[in-house]
Amino acid sequence: MEYKELVNKVESWARERGLDKSDPRAQCMKIVEELRELIENALCEDKDEVIDAIGDMQVALIVYCLIRDIECPETRYQYFFDSHFFDLNGALLDLTVDLGWIAESYNKQSRFVEKAAIHSTLDRLDAISEAYGVRKEYCLEEAYKVIANRRGKVINDIFVKEEDLK
C-alpha cells in the first residue's frame, strides 16, 4: 500500500475515535512511549517487535500531525542505506533528540522547527527500518492492520484499547 494511502487510513481511524481532538502533548507522550518500546526491542535484538514499534511510532506521529494540522510528510529516502556505516544506537539517540525538538517547538509555537523535527524523525525511522531489512511503509501497514478494527476509548486524550480497560 502507498504511504499516503496508509496515512489517510490512520487519520480516518483517529478521527473515528476522536483522537483528532486530543491534546497534542498527550500524543507526544504516546510517541515517547513508542520510542521507549523501539529502543528496548532494538537493544534486545527482537526484529519483529522493532518492526511493530516503528509502525506504532508512525501511527502516533500521524495522529500528532492530524491534531496539529500538519500534513504528514511523505517518505523522502534521501540516503542510500549502507549497513557498514549505520549506527543503530546513534540513530535511536537522534530519535530521542528529534522528539525533544517536536515537544520544544510545540511549546515555543515554532511550526517550522516542529515540521523539520517530524521530517527528521520519519527519516530516521526509514533508516532504522532499512537496517532491519524492511521499509518504513511495511511497518506502518502492519501497525494499521493491528489497529484497524481495534475498539477502546479515549481517556485523558490517549486511546486505551478495550482489553486494557478491564
Side-chain angles (χ1 to χ4, degrees):
M1 200 177 304
E2 294 292 318
Y3 188 70
K4 190 63 182 166
E5 184 181 349
L6 287 164
V7 169
N8 290 338
K9 286 181 176 279
V10 171
E11 288 174 343
S12 293
W13 176 86
R15 280 189 197 97
E16 289 169 8
R17 286 150 182 82
L19 288 170
D20 57 324
K21 307 292 187 227
S22 296
D23 184 337
R25 293 170 294 188
Q27 192 60 31
C28 230
M29 293 305 297
K30 183 67 176 166
I31 298 167
V32 170
E33 177 186 326
E34 299 302 345
L35 174 61
R36 183 199 56 76
E37 289 181 17
L38 174 59
I39 291 169
E40 182 179 301
N41 290 307
L43 293 175
C44 293
E45 299 180 4
D46 188 335
K47 179 181 177 178
D48 292 336
E49 290 300 320
V50 166
I51 290 169
D52 180 65
I54 291 170
D56 290 348
M57 199 167 165
Q58 288 179 86
V59 168
L61 273 166
I62 291 165
V63 174
Y64 178 82
C65 288
L66 179 65
I67 294 166
R68 296 286 294 137
D69 195 28
I70 296 171
E71 185 174 339
C72 189
E74 293 281 339
T75 300
R76 296 190 293 185
Y77 293 113
Q78 293 182 337
Y79 57 89
F80 294 101
F81 183 77
D82 185 342
S83 61
H84 298 292
F85 297 105
F86 182 72
D87 174 18
L88 178 61
N89 290 336
L92 294 170
L93 181 60
D94 289 341
L95 268 177
T96 305
V97 172
D98 287 341
L99 293 186
W101 278 109
I102 292 170
E104 184 176 350
S105 60
Y106 169 80
N107 288 331
K108 291 185 176 181
Q109 302 287 313
S110 176
R111 299 281 282 184
F112 177 79
V113 174
E114 187 176 25
K115 288 177 184 179
I118 291 166
H119 271 277
S120 182
T121 299
L122 290 169
D123 285 346
R124 291 187 208 292
L125 290 175
D126 281 337
I128 294 168
S129 62
E130 293 231 355
Y132 284 88
V134 297
R135 282 281 173 106
K136 178 183 75 176
E137 291 84 353
Y138 171 80
C139 301
L140 179 56
E141 187 169 4
E142 292 302 302
Y144 181 73
K145 287 177 187 175
V146 170
I147 67 167
N149 296 311
R150 181 173 281 164
R151 302 279 180 244
K153 64 189 226 181
V154 177
I155 300 173
N156 296 327
D157 293 314
I158 296 291
F159 183 78
V160 180
K161 298 181 276 190
E162 194 171 63
E163 59 265 23
D164 292 343
L165 291 170
K166 299 174 181 171

